[in-house]
Amino acid sequence: MKIIIEPFKIKSVEPLRFTRRPQRDKILKAAGYNLFNIHADDVLIDLLTDSGTAAMSARQWGGMIEGDESYAGSRSFHQLEENVKELTGFQHIIPTHQGRAAEKILFNIVGGEGQIIPNNTHFDTTRANIEVSGAEAIDLLPPEGADPRTTGNFKGNIDLKALEDLIRRHGRERIPLTMLTVTNNSNAGQPVSMENIRKTAEVSHRSGIPFFIDACRFAENAYFIKLREPGYQKTPVRDIAKEMFSYADGCTMSGKKDGLVNMGGFLALNDDDLAQQARNILVVTEGFPTYGGLAGHDLQAFALGLDEVLEEDYLKYRIRSVTYLGEHLTDLGVPIFQPPGGHAIYIDAGAFLPHIPAHEFPGQALACELYLGGGIRSCEIGSVMFGKTDSANGTFEPARLEMVRLAIPRRVYTKSHIDYVIECIGDVYQRRDEIRGMRIVHEPPVLRHFTAVFAPL
Ligand code: F0G
């Protein structure tokens, strides 16, 4: 059979609430044209993020009841620890409430004034935790990876030459670790090849620098390696994932992505001394080392999710369904970051709305239009999020790209939901010439995309 179906049947459902266009006009206006301000009940299809939005399996819900809520030595923690050790091979598994908590602990220890942390592309929270520590976060993405129009199998790869240069200039005194984010969320969810992972490790280790993986979407990355990298077609995806981790000295993980849970994360590593320091911080900020900010039932569901995410039928459906959305939008002429990524499709709003200049926020205008048109919530990743406006001097610095992310929650929406999204975006594309830009009425001093108030021009 050619058709790939959802590899699950539905046991428990949650109703969607339909709204009409005049209602959505009012809702959006009241929200200051900021989709973060909309009540989730007023959203029909929510593609704001793939983080913490997965549907858990009957097995995971059953596991929640069995979760052991003991303060110390919880059986559920030991189950998670065993699964993570088996998968990653790391010696120390330190649970945290989510990914950024693991980042905070890690960079609290190895960051600090004068330190430099390179990555293919840092995710925002990773960058923020590095910068808050006083260190510098550096992205080393090659130009061909960053170009939305080129095709390529592994556009998430780090620029190895640039990494070698950076290490030559600064050495291990200033580079406490190197990092790779798999898949590369901030570069449209593009995967990183096994070769790039192995060589990043080699280049780092040659200079005595430890190498860490930001493993949030490790399973999706492993599946891309199986599909695209010569030599891996017959390798079980679990073995591919194990090989990825085998080159690293540690990882940070948000279980809210490829852990298939609504909350959870961990820091895993081999260095005994570093692990001891991390646990010391953990007890102060997250909790005792066998629960780290999580309930026993969270730990149990996480342990099971890490198993389920590596099922090949699941990954085949997962990657195929995101690609399906990307292919259909491309067929309609909608410009997207090519090729489709693992967890999301990124619409190139700058190319979609060429008549709207960056300082009038084409991504924000498009995201609002998708909500008005069909109740779809997406996320602007462009000059609202990364641009800088200095109203005192009247200057504006745009983001590198004007994107709108359609992130697909795991196991939540069916093919008909995705067909609806395709039809809605196709409609908006037909009337793109009528869409106007936005201006900012009010913005907070930091992270303005969360709370800024806009008005249509
Ligand atoms: N690293 C990557 C690559 C991420 O995508 C995220 C979260 C984190 C770390 C932080 O994990 O949320 O558990 O603290 N990304 C979400 C997103 C928020 O929408 O892309 P967290």
Side-chain angles (χ1 to χ4, degrees):
M1 298 297 289
K2 280 205 288 294
I3 290 187
I4 295 170
I5 59 171
E6 288 84 1
F8 47 80
K9 45 185 186 166
I10 296 166
K11 173 171 280 192
S12 174
V13 298
E14 206 180 340
L16 291 177
R17 208 169 70 93
F18 291 84
T19 50
R20 298 157 77 88
R21 170 80 199 229
Q23 267 175 296
R24 292 195 293 272
D25 278 320
K26 280 198 198 129
I27 292 166
L28 191 61
K29 192 166 179 214
Y33 296 87
N34 187 332
L35 297 164
F36 282 99
N37 288 337
I38 291 182
H39 197 304
D41 284 350
D42 294 327
V43 175
L44 187 65
I45 308 280
D46 204 343
L47 308 183
L48 187 67
T49 178
D50 66 319
S51 179
T53 51
M56 292 207 294
S57 65
R59 188 164 154 254
Q60 283 175 294
W61 283 110
M64 298 271 287
I65 298 286
E66 287 179 2
D68 176 5
E69 304 300 342
S70 304
Y71 189 96
S74 156
R75 182 180 64 244
S76 301
F77 168 71
H78 289 298
Q79 181 72 61
L80 176 69
E81 183 185 44
E82 193 182 305
N83 289 10
V84 178
K85 277 189 173 172
E86 206 273 326
L87 173 68
T88 65
F90 299 133
Q91 293 305 305
H92 302 281
I93 314 302
I94 297 166
T96 58
H97 77 277
Q98 62 184 95
R100 67 197 72 182
E103 293 163 2
K104 177 163 187 286
I105 292 171
L106 179 63
F107 295 114
N108 220 301
I109 305 168
V110 305
E113 217 58 57
Q115 300 301 94
I116 298 170
I117 322 282
N119 200 331
N120 45 359
T121 319
H122 289 283
F123 180 66
D124 327 5
T125 59
T126 324
R127 170 173 290 277
N129 276 302
I130 291 169
E131 290 176 352
V132 162
S133 83
E136 192 184 344
I138 293 195
D139 294 338
L140 298 176
L141 193 67
E144 61 276 15
D147 183 342
R149 288 178 193 85
T150 58
T151 51
N153 283 336
F154 294 103
K155 286 173 73 178
N157 283 356
I158 197 169
D159 185 335
L160 286 163
K161 171 93 183 32
L163 180 64
E164 280 181 308
D165 287 350
L166 189 82
I167 293 178
R168 199 170 307 119
R169 264 181 289 134
H170 300 292
R172 71 181 271 203
E173 295 69 40
R174 291 194 58 198
I175 305 179
L177 55 87
T178 60
M179 250 187 143
L180 277 179
T181 303
V182 304
T183 57
N184 190 336
N185 182 14
S186 303
N187 197 45
Q190 299 293 316
V192 179
S193 70
M194 191 71 88
E195 187 190 13
N196 197 252
I197 296 173
R198 196 181 62 243
K199 289 195 169 153
T200 301
E202 277 169 21
V203 167
S204 310
H205 291 158
R206 214 182 292 143
S207 299
I209 299 172
F211 162 56
F212 274 61
I213 294 178
D214 175 338
C216 297
R217 299 178 180 85
F218 75 97
E220 290 167 6
N221 198 87
Y223 196 71
F224 276 118
I225 289 175
K226 184 176 177 105
L227 290 179
R228 298 182 180 174
E229 193 158 347
Y232 287 97
Q233 282 62 48
K234 296 212 166 73
T235 315
V237 81
R238 178 180 290 277
D239 292 348
I240 297 176
K242 282 186 181 175
E243 184 181 339
M244 287 162 52
F245 287 115
S246 75
Y247 300 118
D249 302 286
C251 75
T252 55
M253 173 73 187
S254 166
K256 301 173 74 171
K257 287 81 168 171
D258 275 350
L260 293 177
V261 284
N262 306 122
M263 194 48 85
F266 58 77
L267 170 65
L269 39 82
N270 283 331
D271 186 305
D272 296 338
D273 186 44
L274 200 58
Q276 190 51 52
Q277 292 183 62
R279 288 197 180 99
N280 292 344
I281 299 174
L282 187 82
V283 197
V284 179
T285 62
E286 290 275 302
F288 188 73
T290 62
Y291 74 86
L294 293 168
H297 55 249
D298 291 328
L299 295 161
Q300 189 74 30
F302 194 1
L304 295 166
L306 283 174
D307 243 12
E308 290 180 9
V309 80
L310 287 166
E311 284 168 12
E312 306 221 357
D313 286 341
Y314 161 75
L315 283 167
K316 184 175 177 185
Y317 137 83
R318 169 72 180 159
I319 298 303
R320 181 60 209 148
S321 55
V322 175
T323 305
Y324 174 87
L325 171 60
E327 285 175 358
H328 280 263
L329 292 180
T330 304
D331 287 348
L332 292 172
V334 176
I336 64 163
F337 195 109
Q338 297 288 0
H343 68 295
I345 294 298
Y346 293 67
I347 303 178
D348 185 345
F352 192 111
L353 300 170
H355 58 287
I356 303 183
H359 68 272
E360 292 178 6
F361 308 116
Q364 189 66 19
L366 179 56
C368 286
E369 224 34 65
L370 299 185
Y371 178 71
L372 292 173
I376 298 166
R377 177 153 66 173
S378 55
C379 183
E380 192 265 8
I381 302 191
S383 288
V384 174
M385 198 180 267
F386 295 123
K388 289 191 186 81
T389 315
D390 186 340
S391 27
N393 297 318
T395 55
F396 169 76
E397 199 186 302
R400 192 172 60 78
L401 294 168
E402 303 297 334
M403 293 281 168
V404 169
R405 183 177 79 167
L406 309 167
I408 314 297
R410 293 170 181 78
R411 303 193 292 206
V412 170
Y413 294 118
T414 65
K415 193 169 164 214
S416 352
H417 291 117
I418 299 298
D419 285 335
Y420 172 90
V421 171
I422 293 165
E423 185 180 332
C424 171
I425 296 174
D427 271 2
V428 172
Y429 190 59
Q430 286 304 313
R431 54 184 172 79
R432 61 190 180 279
D433 295 343
E434 298 158 24
I435 299 172
R436 290 171 298 158
M438 314 284 294
R439 69 186 170 86
I440 293 184
V441 178
H442 166 77
E443 62 175 294
V446 286
L447 297 174
R448 64 179 177 182
H449 56 285
F450 288 126
T451 54
V453 173
F454 301 86
L457 286 165

